[in-house]
Structure formats: C-alpha cells, structure tokens
Amino acid sequence: MKPYRVVYLHEGKMHTMYLYGLSKHILRNSIVKHWNENLVFDAKVLRIEDSSEEELWREYEMES
C-alpha cells in the first residue's frame, strides 16, 4: 500500500487528508463508497496525489 494525499471539497471548503491505498482508482472508489454509506452527499474528491511516508507523518504530528 502507498500513501496518498487526497484533496476534496466539502461544504464549500477544500480539505486534505492522507490515506493509504493500493491505487488512486481503488482509493477514490473506497472514499466515495464510504461517503455514500454515511450519507455524505456534498463531498467531492478533487484530486489524489502521490505522497510520502515523511509527509504523512509530518501531517499526523501537526494534528496531534
């Protein structure tokens, strides 16, 4: 699995989240399925970019 940076639009604001996935396509499908199951209809994936372990951990440490 690889780390990815996901940029998405929710309630008129852009957000970023870091997730692991097998591919960009599979990750996008997983996110949309999760949102649909949880009735989150106002969100849209804008882009999925390759990331690095260092970037993912740096973001995680900033949120803690």
Side-chain angles (χ1 to χ4, degrees):
M1 301 215 355
K2 294 174 43 180
Y4 292 100
R5 178 180 40 249
V6 180
V7 178
Y8 64 99
L9 188 63
H10 182 249
E11 297 179 345
K13 297 179 184 175
M14 285 182 55
H15 302 274
T16 302
M17 64 181 162
Y18 292 84
L19 299 170
Y20 285 93
L22 297 174
S23 71
K24 292 178 183 180
H25 178 76
I26 292 171
L27 186 57
R28 179 182 301 271
N29 288 345
S30 177
I31 293 167
V32 171
K33 180 181 177 195
H34 175 76
W35 285 344
N36 288 341
E37 289 173 350
N38 291 282
L39 305 176
V40 180
F41 298 116
D42 61 340
K44 179 180 180 181
V45 175
L46 299 176
R47 64 183 177 272
I48 299 176
E49 304 167 339
D50 292 337
S51 186
S52 66
E53 291 283 335
E54 293 81 19
E55 185 176 9
L56 187 139
W57 282 109
R58 189 170 41 247
E59 184 68 23
Y60 175 76
E61 288 173 352
M62 285 176 50
E63 289 180 3
S64 298

